[in-house]
Amino acid sequence: MNKTDLIKHIASEAGITQSQAEKAVNSFTGAISSSLANGENVTLIGFGTFGISDRAARNGRNPQTGATIKIAAKKLPKFTAGKALKEAVDSPKKGKKK
């Protein structure tokens, strides 16, 4: 499923227009991005937690020359699935509760 498919699905499930659904999806992703940029986690009970992971600086190798290069430290977004999402994915009935 891509963003367009998600917007169509939300519009049909919620009984709203695709334009309204697109605004909702963009608002949702924007809120998560802003929170993570400010160093805050976003927890959706039962669904999961969006957080930040720190990757330490390290040495790497240029595959063409074999020369050692320094790879800078950085922060990366991460997602940890919640219990309900894990159970929905693991359910033998394709996403339905057991």
Side-chain angles (χ1 to χ4, degrees), residues 26-95:
N26 289 339
S27 177
F28 175 76
T29 57
I32 291 174
S33 297
S34 296
S35 293
L36 293 178
N38 291 329
E40 303 168 358
N41 289 344
V42 178
T43 302
L44 304 173
I45 303 298
F47 184 73
T49 301
F50 296 90
I52 300 169
S53 175
D54 291 317
R55 182 179 284 177
R58 62 193 193 280
N59 290 327
R61 292 212 176 266
N62 181 329
Q64 291 181 335
T65 64
T68 301
I69 58 173
K70 291 184 180 182
I71 302 172
K74 65 165 101 176
K75 295 182 180 196
L76 298 170
K78 68 176 182 176
F79 176 75
T80 305
K83 182 179 177 184
L85 180 58
K86 288 178 186 177
E87 289 174 354
V89 170
D90 193 35
S91 174
K93 295 183 181 179
K94 293 187 180 180

